[in-house]
Amino acid sequence: MDNNNLETIVFGGGCFWCVESCFNMLKGVKSAISGYSGGHKDNPTYQEVCTGETGHAEVVEITYDPAIISYEQLMDVFFFLHDPTQLNRQGNDIGTQYRSVIYYKDDAEKQRAELALRTSEESGRWTGKYVTEFAPFEKFWAAEQYHQGYYNENPTQPYCSAVVGPKIQKFKKHFGELGMLNAD
């Protein structure tokens, strides 16, 4: 991986434990870090974000090598991992902190994200109108350390067993067949 040419993208697709776990398995992804974006409070805590009063979404900051994995491939994974037709929720996780959102750094990246959304909509993967929000990137706040790699450290925790684990298995099957996963 060429550390001089790494790029980042920040988006939210429900619980960050699910999203972060999967993206860290992809070839070309250097890191996927759970955190918060889009709100009005500096250094928010998980407890504050869970109230829905900070305006933040649970997000993941992906650092990747575009020579190995493209922006478009990352967007395909993003739209695979969550249901972008659910407003302010994913399954039983309800609240604005679980919204589907893509934070873009400039107009060119916004256009790429909008094209990825249209491509996903046209694929028919999800039925219904997409409600994914597009917002200018302002700040990413890393979540507390215990959230980083949470599933790997807690696979038998009830939420992980019931929600994260099955999502990871579906992800591995689909993207493993496409050869996009790391061998380890």
Side-chain angles (χ1 to χ4, degrees):
M1 197 170 303
D2 184 355
N3 287 334
N4 293 322
N5 292 317
L6 296 178
E7 295 184 20
T8 61
I9 183 171
V10 176
F11 45 67
C15 173
F16 49 34
W17 296 342
C18 299
V19 178
E20 177 248 359
S21 297
C22 293
F23 275 93
N24 272 321
M25 293 181 210
L26 290 171
K27 290 178 187 173
V29 170
K30 181 174 181 181
S31 67
I33 301 170
S34 294
Y36 316 108
S37 279
H40 56 271
K41 181 173 188 333
D42 289 349
N43 278 319
T45 66
Y46 180 70
Q47 290 74 22
E48 291 169 331
V49 171
C50 285
T51 68
E53 295 176 12
T54 67
H56 290 286
E58 286 192 15
V59 298
V60 177
E61 178 188 63
I62 311 292
T63 301
Y64 68 100
D65 185 339
I68 300 171
I69 189 167
S70 71
Y71 180 90
E72 289 72 22
Q73 288 172 308
L74 293 171
M75 287 286 96
D76 186 42
V77 173
F78 169 72
F79 285 115
F80 179 87
L81 287 177
H82 79 293
D83 182 346
T85 69
Q86 293 188 340
L87 182 62
N88 297 329
R89 72 178 298 157
Q90 284 300 299
N92 290 329
D93 293 330
I94 301 170
T96 57
Q97 69 270 28
Y98 299 114
R99 66 189 178 270
S100 176
V101 59
I102 299 170
Y103 293 99
Y104 57 88
K105 293 183 180 72
D106 55 33
D107 286 339
E109 188 173 83
K110 180 181 181 188
Q111 290 173 357
R112 290 174 81 184
E114 290 171 338
L115 176 60
L117 181 138
R118 286 193 303 276
T119 300
S120 182
E121 281 182 315
E122 291 168 2
S123 77
R125 180 180 292 152
W126 301 102
T127 58
K129 180 164 177 40
Y130 281 37
V131 295
T132 301
E133 175 187 321
F134 294 92
F137 176 78
E138 293 179 9
K139 181 72 177 167
F140 170 81
W141 304 97
E144 296 82 350
Q145 187 56 43
Y146 72 90
H147 287 296
Q148 310 305 329
Y150 189 86
Y151 175 79
N152 291 340
E153 298 295 321
N154 303 280
T156 60
Q157 188 262 12
Y159 182 89
C160 289
S161 296
V163 178
V164 185
K167 187 174 281 202
I168 288 173
Q169 292 311 309
K170 180 180 167 188
F171 165 80
K172 283 181 174 180
K173 181 177 182 197
H174 183 77
F175 289 98
E177 290 171 355
L178 296 176
M180 292 175 62
L181 301 182
N182 286 316
D184 50 345

